[in-house]
């Protein structure tokens, strides 16, 4: 990213930690919850790999094709469940966004030589389709705001002096959680912020 190696390191660590937590979630829950956790773990580790500062590891030209194929396959896998809505639709958007960024960054890697850039190793002339990038930025901005809203405590006072019922919401946009809903939502929020930051580099 243009912000230098520090921003790349921070993004890489956040995405890797999110991916690791999602990987831990694959050991518990229903088959559907484990499948969701595997998809989110793939996304987290994929984002972490793409965010490695170029000063540490300059991505070879073929790496971007591997990212595109890997997340293209993930998008195809998410397509059928996404038709039912819910959080699977978000997985589909995320996988397609990763394919888009990998394709958009491939020419930048070939022409940049990896000098001093972190994250996607963006060259001055690199970039995707501005309108599509803008749409994805808007989507992730709303996703982050929605997920953050679910983390805020909500209280409702029952009528006639009843007990106070409240607590954090569950899940991000359209998605349930398992076990520790706050951590799961925070994990999704972190990856949403990471995706927004990566799209800003296009």
């Amino acid at each position: 990213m243009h912000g230098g190696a520090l921003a790349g390191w921070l993004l890489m660590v956040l995405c890797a930690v999110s991916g690791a937590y999602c990987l831990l979630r694959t050991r518990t829950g229903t088959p559907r919850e484990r499948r969701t956790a595997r998809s989110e773990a793939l996304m987290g580790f994929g984002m972490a790999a793409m965010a490695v500062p170029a000063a540490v590891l300059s991505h070879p030209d073929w790496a971007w094709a591997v990212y595109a194929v890997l997340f293209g396959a993930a998008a195809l896998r998410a397509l059928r469940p996404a038709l039912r809505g819910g959080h699977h639709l978000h997985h589909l958007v995320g996988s397609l966004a990763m394919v888009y960024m990998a394709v958009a960054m491939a020419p930048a890697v070939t022409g940049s030589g990896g000098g001093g850039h972190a994250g996607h190793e963006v060259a001055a002339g690199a970039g995707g389709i501005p309108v599509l990038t803008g749409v994805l930025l808007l989507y992730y901005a709303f996703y982050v705001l929605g997920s953050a809203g679910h983390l805020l405590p909500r209280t409702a006072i029952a009528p006639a002096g009843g007990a106070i019922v409240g607590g954090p919401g569950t899940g991000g946009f359209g998605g349930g959680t398992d076990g520790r809903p706050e951590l799961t939502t925070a994990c999704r929020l972190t990856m949403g912020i990471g995706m927004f930051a990566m799209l800003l580099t296009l």
Side-chain angles (χ1 to χ4, degrees), residues 22-162:
C22 292
L23 199 60
L24 289 175
R25 285 171 43 219
T26 63
R27 301 185 302 175
T28 59
T30 66
R32 180 179 178 182
E33 289 169 344
R34 291 197 298 269
R35 192 165 48 247
T36 297
R38 284 194 295 269
S39 298
E40 292 174 344
L42 174 65
M43 183 68 66
F45 288 129
M47 291 170 63
M50 292 176 77
V52 174
V56 175
L57 176 65
S58 181
H59 290 84
D61 294 352
W62 51 263
W64 301 100
V66 171
Y67 291 138
V69 171
L70 179 64
F71 285 100
L76 287 175
R77 187 177 179 188
L79 181 59
R80 190 172 176 183
L83 296 177
R84 298 193 295 266
H87 202 69
H88 290 288
L89 182 59
H90 175 68
H91 292 162
L92 177 61
V93 173
S95 296
L96 291 175
M98 292 290 279
V99 172
Y100 168 64
M101 288 191 293
V103 171
M105 289 298 103
V109 175
T110 304
S112 69
H117 290 287
H120 292 225
E121 303 170 57
V122 179
I129 303 167
V131 173
L132 182 53
T133 303
V135 169
L136 287 170
L137 282 169
L138 279 175
Y139 172 82
Y140 278 101
F142 281 110
Y143 180 82
V144 166
L145 291 173
S147 296
H150 281 88
L151 285 174
L152 296 175
R154 299 177 181 181
T155 57
I157 301 177

